Amino acid sequence: GEDVEQSLFLSVREGDSSVINCTYTDSSSTYLYWYKQEPGAGLQLLTYIFSNMDMKQDQRLTVLLNKKDKHLSLRIADTQTGDSAIYFCALGGYNKLIFGAGTRLAVHP
Amino acid sequence: DTEVTQTPKHLVMGMTNKKSLKCEQHMGHRAMYWYKQKAKKPPELMFVYSYEKLSINESVPSRFSPECPNSSLLNLHLHALQPEDSALYLCASSPLRHTSTDTQYFGPGTRLTVL
C-alpha cells in the first residue's frame, strides 16, 4: 500500500527558512498536498502541486517535487511565529487522501 | 468561499448518551467525509458520502452512524461511545469532479470527550 513519511519535528529561528520534507512510495497520485494544522484546529489547505510539475511558488511557500526520488518538500521563507503548527503532506486520490504523520514546526525567536 | 463549518466545537458526553455532530458546506461540493484524529496523529478516514450516498465505510463500529440529509449537510450520530472514542472529529468536503483526484477542504473539527 501507499506509505508517506515525514520527519516528526523541525525547529527554526524566526526569519529563517524552513524546509519540511516528505517521501512517498506510490507515484500514482495526480496532486500532492500540504495541509497546516494549528493547535486545536482543523486542517487548512496550504498549497498543492500537480504531479507533472517540478516546482510551485505561492508567496512565501515553495513546493518542490522530485518524482524520480519520490520526494516532496515545502519551503517557508521568512518563517514567523504564526507558522508554528503541524504540517501534513498528503497524496491525493479519488475520494481519498494518504497522509504522512505530520511535521511539527516550532519557531523560536 | 472554501468554508466547511462544524458544530459543536466541543462536546462532552457519557457512555450512555446519544449525541450528534453536524457539518455543513455551501460550496456545491458533492462529496463529504468524516475523519477521526487522535492527538499527534494524522486524520483517519471514517466515512465518505458521494452524491448523498454512503460510498466508503472504513469498518467503523456501529456506535457511529453517519447521515447525509442533503448535499450540504452531514451528520454523525453517536451512541454508547467508549472513552477511547475521545478525539477530534473532522468533516471535509470535495467537489467530486470525475478526475483521478479531488481536493478536500476541512472544517475546524469537533473536540469530543467521552467520560
Side-chain angles (χ1 to χ4, degrees):
Chain A
E2 302 94 339
D3 190 27
V4 181
E5 293 194 0
Q6 297 179 243
S7 53
L8 293 183
F9 187 73
L10 177 65
S11 178
V12 299
R13 191 187 306 269
E14 191 174 10
D16 287 351
S17 292
S18 307
V19 180
I20 302 171
N21 295 300
C22 177
T23 58
Y24 55 93
T25 55
D26 176 33
S27 53
S28 64
S29 294
T30 307
Y31 285 91
L32 299 95
Y33 299 91
W34 285 103
Y35 285 90
K36 175 185 179 183
Q37 187 174 35
E38 298 184 37
L43 271 67
Q44 174 194 350
L45 178 64
L46 266 186
T47 187
Y48 58 88
I49 188 167
F50 190 51
S51 59
N52 69 355
M53 297 170 66
D54 298 323
M55 185 182 84
K56 179 180 179 182
Q57 187 146 5
D58 184 0
Q59 299 182 335
R60 291 191 298 124
L61 306 178
T62 303
V63 179
L64 295 177
L65 176 60
N66 182 327
K67 290 184 288 294
K68 175 176 172 290
D69 294 338
K70 298 183 182 178
H71 183 265
L72 179 71
S73 67
L74 174 70
R75 178 177 180 269
I76 305 173
D78 187 24
T79 311
Q80 302 297 307
T81 55
D83 295 322
S84 295
I86 299 177
Y87 291 80
F88 292 98
C89 69
L91 274 55
Y94 190 75
N95 265 181
K96 71 175 182 179
L97 280 174
I98 309 299
F99 287 98
T103 299
R104 181 177 295 276
L105 175 64
V107 183
H108 56 87
Chain B
D1 181 12
T2 56
E3 188 178 28
V4 177
T5 59
Q6 291 187 241
T7 55
K9 192 173 174 60
H10 300 278
L11 179 62
V12 180
M13 59 186 292
M15 289 189 283
T16 58
N17 292 157
K18 286 185 182 181
K19 296 287 184 184
S20 296
L21 309 185
K22 297 186 184 303
C23 174
E24 191 166 4
Q25 57 87 14
H26 294 288
M27 297 178 278
H29 289 177
R30 301 310 302 272
M32 296 186 77
Y33 308 75
W34 281 116
Y35 288 85
K36 174 183 178 180
Q37 187 181 26
K38 301 286 272 186
K40 300 183 180 180
K41 296 289 186 182
E44 298 174 16
L45 183 64
M46 300 174 71
F47 302 104
V48 181
Y49 273 82
S50 304
Y51 300 103
E52 299 150 55
K53 297 278 193 297
L54 183 64
S55 56
I56 296 176
N57 176 343
E58 293 285 356
S59 303
V60 178
S62 60
R63 59 185 183 269
F64 296 91
S65 175
E67 179 197 18
C68 189
N70 59 56
S71 60
S72 300
L73 292 174
L74 185 67
N75 298 321
L76 186 62
H77 303 298
L78 313 173
H79 174 54
L81 294 194
Q82 304 297 310
E84 58 265 28
D85 297 322
S86 299
L88 181 68
Y89 286 83
L90 294 163
C91 174
S93 70
S94 67
L96 201 62
R97 298 190 184 98
H98 289 283
T99 60
S100 58
T101 194
D102 197 35
T103 301
Q104 294 185 29
Y105 297 88
F106 285 80
T110 294
R111 174 72 60 188
L112 174 67
T113 303
V114 182
L115 301 176

